[in-house]
Amino acid sequence: MYRLVLKHPKTPWLAKAFLGLAIGYLLLPFDLIPDFIPVLGQLDDVLIIPFLVYIALLFIPKDVMQSCREASCREQVRANLL
């Protein structure tokens, strides 16, 4: 669904930036706190990525989210029929 939100023309650029940061941080081969440090290494991933997504969701208008949810459901139904 986030792919649809990113492509939607009414999605504000700030929301796209925060979603991009979340995806980028997820895909980076290194972390702010390395994963070999017990607990803290995994905790930064668990906290930073959802926080960035939450901030992005605050900027996305409700009608954009609703239309993207509906489009996502239609895609899932279509995929299940195949």
Side-chain angles (χ1 to χ4, degrees):
M1 185 173 95
Y2 292 114
R3 176 181 46 86
L4 296 173
V5 171
L6 282 171
K7 290 182 179 182
H8 199 284
K10 289 186 181 178
T11 301
W13 68 270
L14 197 54
K16 290 179 181 182
F18 278 111
L19 284 174
L21 284 172
I23 293 168
Y25 188 79
L26 182 66
L27 296 176
L28 281 176
F30 56 88
D31 293 333
L32 292 177
I33 301 172
D35 286 340
F36 63 83
I37 298 174
V39 180
L40 291 178
Q42 289 78 27
L43 193 62
D44 74 329
D45 294 337
V46 171
L47 294 176
I48 291 174
I49 294 169
F51 177 73
L52 290 171
V53 171
Y54 175 75
I55 296 297
L57 291 175
L58 291 177
F59 289 105
I60 299 171
K62 301 292 182 208
D63 63 322
V64 171
M65 287 300 296
Q66 185 62 32
S67 67
C68 290
R69 276 190 193 109
E70 291 169 359
S72 178
C73 287
R74 283 192 301 269
E75 285 181 7
Q76 287 179 346
V77 167
R78 220 176 293 134
N80 287 338
L81 293 175
L82 296 177

